Amino acid sequence: MDDMDFIELDGVEKVFDVRRKTGFMRRERREVRAVDGISFRVPRGEMVGYIGPNGAGKSTTIKMLTGILTPSGGRLRVAGIDPSRERTKLAHRIGVVFGQRTTLWWDLPLRDSYRLMHRMYRIPDSRYRENLDRCVELLDLGALLEVPVRQLSLGQRMRGDIAAALLHDPEVLYLDEPTIGLDVISKAKVREFLRDLNAERSTTVLLTTHDLTDIEQLCKRVMVIDHGRLVYDGALAGLHEVGESERTLVVDLERELPPIELGSEPSVRVVKVEGPRQWLAFPASASAAPLVARIAAGYPLVDLSVREPDIESVIAKMYVSDPAL
Amino acid sequence: MAEIQAERTAAPPPVVFSERSRLVEGVRAYGLIVAMWLRSTMAYRASFVMTTVGNFVSTAFDFVTIMLMFAHVDVLGGFTLPEVALLYGTSATAFGLADLVLGSMDRLGRRVRDGTLDTLLVRPVPVLAQVAADRFALRRLGRITQGLLVLGYALVTLDIAWTPVKVLMLPMMVLSGAAIFGAVFVVGAAFQFYAQDASEVQNAFTYGGTTMLQYPPTVFAKDLVRGVTFVVPLAFVSWLPALYVLGRDYPLDLPRWVAGLPPVVAAGCWVLAGLAWRVGLRSYRSTGS
């Protein structure tokens, strides 16, 4: 294994046999290819976004990378280790955060969960103290260490979970929806921490998310998976181009008016009018500023906001623009 | 920019750990997790005291039932109250021990359903140990206490011609019995990888089994006795060794020496349980459901 092939997947497949009840005793068997021949490489120290609609195979891939699930076919290595064969050996080298499932102890102070990690992973005392101090400082956990986990907010708990996954110095960190349900401030804190972690420790990070802002702010590279196949692997900007995705400008006018017309701007169109409020779609790659200026010049503008495209619509557009995918 | 570059340090080398036997690792992890649950329980001290007392009282009613029965008859299937108390005491204590150590394994089905089993699979310690220690509940000491009290009552009132073998038989049957029940818990849990609501089937063998063993074998049908001797070897938990201690006849005309078999039977059960667990876990990891 060299550092360029830190995570290696070659034609990895995962096929599930789904049994469905069709009668009292009769069952129907159906093969579901959750992951259908995925290949990619992640070099050490890279931060990659792994996105796709629900049921696309994201979690299945993460579960194979952590050794929870055994692949049905293909070759897979993390740090030179076959995860499903040497799951417990790999466990010392990876950190996993499942956004929806905490590993913290509900009724005990946060610090107790960390002590368990300390002993379970046999982390040397000095290393443990150093890592804990660092996480406490950067994730702002100082005031929370003696608080029972059940009293923490969702954002605080997520920060606590991320710290728990990093105490044993993992070389890879898998994050499954790390910002789901968090408020804006917590999201910003988590992102800042991950950026620092990646920059200072060269920890390889693979994260799944529904929030394109996570990717925008953290990952130079994004992989899109759909129906078990990798449909895009490259920069986020490129994803917008491929998908010809559009952002939406929501405009509140002083009063009800006919749809805004900007004759010289064919790529901008009004998609919806509701009383004094109008929705305008424009290419995601274009800047909103000149558009806003022109509307303000010609119309009685009260308020406005810009909406980013969501992953689902970007992916949907990819299909429309390239049916071969 | 240059400053940032200078601060950038290589990732520290992975923590070195020596390969230890999985058994030692498992027992150690079990202890660590049990300690966490004890601390969690102590966060609600009053609730702990209440449930322990409740556990003691509810299991005590089992024996009260038997005592009420003896208020109307002098013998039950040819056995007197102190004799039944010996059967009851050994079986209840053995089951209580197994229940204390492994009783929460029937939560595995729920962990499979809600996906929280995955959080255990990414840790560097055996999953069986983590599942066994899950929700460790010290309140189950109530059942053991009650079993020991009844056992004490039996030993005080019974008139037994004690020999060294008979004396040794008592701790042997309680410990082997606990091991046999424990193996049934593990097999039951392994089955939950396939059917997540299978804990009721397992309860039939564990809770149901212990209730049955609290009565003399003579009150049950021959086929049932045969079943718990040869199929699910619960008869080795208390019946056979206890009948030896009492100097009574065995069911099914078995030879006298079978009273010494419980440790062997327990070891056999654990080999099977270990296999069942491996097969179950492997199946989970290939299907994920």
Side-chain angles (χ1 to χ4, degrees):
Chain A
M1 187 236 2
D2 64 58
D3 281 356
M4 287 313 287
D5 303 332
F6 191 63
I7 299 176
E8 279 184 86
L9 281 83
D10 284 302
V12 170
E13 291 176 7
K14 184 71 206 176
V15 183
F16 294 119
D17 242 2
V18 179
R19 288 188 184 79
R20 206 161 54 94
K21 259 193 173 158
T22 49
F24 175 59
M25 288 297 282
R26 257 187 309 174
R27 270 154 206 267
E28 191 184 74
R29 276 184 54 176
R30 204 161 47 90
E31 254 193 12
V32 175
R33 307 185 75 81
V35 170
D36 194 5
I38 284 188
S39 307
F40 62 77
R41 297 271 185 283
V42 178
R44 186 192 284 275
E46 194 169 43
M47 214 162 173
V48 183
Y50 196 55
I51 62 176
N54 287 327
K58 281 177 308 198
S59 301
T60 307
T61 314
I62 298 276
K63 283 181 187 177
M64 287 192 284
L65 285 170
T66 50
I68 295 171
L69 288 179
T70 318
S72 327
R75 184 173 175 278
L76 190 141
R77 291 288 181 277
V78 176
I81 295 174
D82 180 348
S84 73
R85 280 174 171 269
E86 295 185 277
R87 179 170 49 82
T88 41
K89 186 177 165 196
L90 183 70
H92 282 277
R93 306 183 59 174
I94 62 171
V96 188
V97 178
F98 293 111
Q100 309 277 43
R101 288 164 244 159
T102 182
T103 58
L104 304 173
W105 289 70
W106 205 243
D107 289 324
L108 296 178
L110 193 52
R111 187 189 290 279
D112 289 24
S113 297
Y114 297 153
R115 279 203 192 108
L116 178 68
M117 294 295 157
H118 178 192
R119 305 195 59 191
M120 196 182 263
Y121 283 82
R122 297 180 187 277
I123 308 167
D125 292 351
S126 58
R127 181 77 65 78
Y128 168 73
R129 266 195 303 276
E130 199 180 296
N131 287 343
L132 182 61
D133 288 349
R134 203 185 117 81
C135 286
V136 164
E137 189 198 322
L138 295 178
L139 285 167
D140 211 356
L141 296 171
L144 308 176
L145 279 177
E146 310 306 331
V147 178
V149 172
R150 67 183 129 82
Q151 292 172 14
L152 300 183
S153 73
L154 193 61
Q156 292 169 334
R157 211 163 70 221
M158 176 54 70
R159 274 145 52 201
D161 257 311
I162 292 176
L166 290 171
L167 296 175
H168 59 288
D169 283 322
E171 294 156 75
V172 199
L173 181 64
Y174 301 107
L175 297 152
D176 195 7
E177 302 282 358
T179 57
I180 199 165
L182 302 194
D183 59 73
V184 181
I185 296 168
S186 295
K187 275 186 184 180
K189 251 182 207 162
V190 166
R191 285 175 192 145
E192 193 191 326
F193 176 78
L194 293 176
R195 239 190 331 261
D196 288 354
L197 176 82
N198 177 254
E200 286 173 24
R201 300 230 160 174
S202 314
T203 307
T204 311
V205 179
L206 189 68
L207 69 100
T208 74
T209 184
H210 268 84
D211 190 340
L212 272 184
T213 322
D214 283 347
I215 310 266
E216 249 161 36
Q217 298 194 357
L218 293 174
C219 311
K220 290 198 187 76
R221 177 179 172 196
V222 54
M223 289 187 278
V224 181
I225 181 175
D226 194 30
H227 292 100
R229 288 173 171 277
L230 209 56
V231 292
Y232 180 83
D233 185 349
L236 180 67
L239 179 63
H240 281 306
E241 278 162 29
V242 170
E244 293 180 343
S245 63
E246 290 176 321
R247 290 194 283 173
T248 310
L249 184 68
V250 185
V251 183
D252 283 337
L253 302 176
E254 251 170 32
R255 58 187 183 278
E256 218 167 309
L257 285 169
I260 294 174
E261 272 186 56
L262 301 166
S264 61
E265 204 68 71
S267 56
V268 181
R269 61 202 161 82
V270 176
V271 286
K272 195 170 149 193
V273 179
E274 221 177 76
R277 176 171 288 189
Q278 303 199 7
W279 281 260
L280 287 85
F282 65 102
S285 47
S287 167
L291 183 61
V292 172
R294 292 190 48 190
I295 295 171
Y299 292 86
L301 193 56
V302 177
D303 198 3
L304 60 86
S305 63
V306 178
R307 290 194 189 153
E308 296 296 325
D310 57 5
I311 287 167
E312 274 77 6
S313 67
V314 170
I315 293 168
K317 288 266 184 180
M318 285 175 69
Y319 280 93
V320 176
S321 59
D322 186 0
L325 280 174
Chain B
M1 198 61 206
E3 272 171 25
I4 297 171
Q5 285 294 330
E7 266 176 51
R8 183 188 279 241
T9 50
V15 177
V16 182
F17 72 105
S18 49
E19 284 285 343
R20 275 160 240 256
S21 94
R22 291 186 59 76
L23 182 68
V24 174
E25 272 299 300
V27 171
R28 181 176 175 273
Y30 180 86
L32 290 175
I33 298 169
V34 163
M36 294 294 279
W37 280 112
L38 291 181
R39 296 165 71 115
S40 292
T41 316
M42 289 311 149
Y44 304 93
R45 228 168 276 256
S47 156
F48 165 69
V49 173
M50 296 287 283
T51 51
T52 309
V53 172
N55 198 269
F56 176 82
V57 171
S58 66
T59 47
F61 271 106
D62 284 348
F63 194 67
V64 171
T65 317
I66 295 175
M67 282 168 52
L68 285 177
M69 229 180 296
F70 274 95
H72 298 282
V73 295
D74 291 331
V75 288
L76 185 67
F79 286 73
T80 63
L81 178 61
E83 285 176 319
V84 173
L86 182 71
L87 292 176
Y88 181 100
T90 47
S91 152
T93 309
F95 179 75
L97 281 173
D99 191 39
L100 177 71
V101 178
L102 298 169
S104 304
M105 286 196 80
D106 57 1
R107 274 174 48 88
L108 177 67
R110 187 149 70 180
R111 279 195 173 269
V112 169
R113 263 201 312 272
D114 66 17
T116 52
L117 183 66
D118 293 344
T119 60
L120 308 185
L121 276 155
V122 296
R123 290 184 185 159
V125 294
V127 183
L128 178 58
Q130 298 184 65
V131 174
D134 201 11
R135 294 237 156 231
F136 181 85
L138 204 59
R139 63 164 187 278
R140 296 193 168 111
L141 279 176
R143 186 187 288 275
I144 300 177
T145 312
Q146 189 255 352
L148 285 173
L149 284 177
V150 175
L151 188 59
Y153 159 78
L155 294 177
V156 169
T157 48
L158 277 171
D159 188 18
I160 296 172
W162 288 103
T163 64
V165 178
K166 285 187 180 180
V167 173
L168 280 177
M169 205 63 100
L170 283 174
M172 181 278 279
M173 64 199 272
V174 169
L175 293 179
S176 314
I180 292 173
F181 275 126
V184 177
F185 273 117
V186 173
V187 172
F191 197 61
Q192 291 181 39
F193 283 117
Y194 299 94
Q196 281 92 61
D197 38 14
S199 62
E200 287 308 313
V201 180
Q202 172 203 316
N203 288 347
F205 288 109
T206 52
Y207 290 87
T210 184
T211 309
M212 183 172 105
L213 293 178
Q214 287 159 4
Y215 293 86
T218 44
V219 306
F220 295 104
K222 264 258 159 60
D223 284 335
L224 187 63
V225 175
R226 216 170 269 139
V228 297
T229 306
F230 300 115
V231 183
V232 185
L234 294 178
F236 292 93
V237 172
S238 62
W239 275 351
L240 299 171
L243 294 176
Y244 176 86
V245 172
L246 292 171
R248 304 288 299 246
D249 291 338
Y250 291 169
L252 313 174
D253 297 325
L254 293 164
R256 292 307 283 175
W257 55 263
V258 295
L261 282 185
V264 181
V265 172
C269 288
W270 270 94
V271 170
L272 288 177
L275 283 176
W277 177 261
R278 288 180 74 117
V279 171
L281 185 61
R282 183 172 306 160
S283 146
Y284 172 81
R285 294 179 57 208
S286 66
T287 63
S289 61

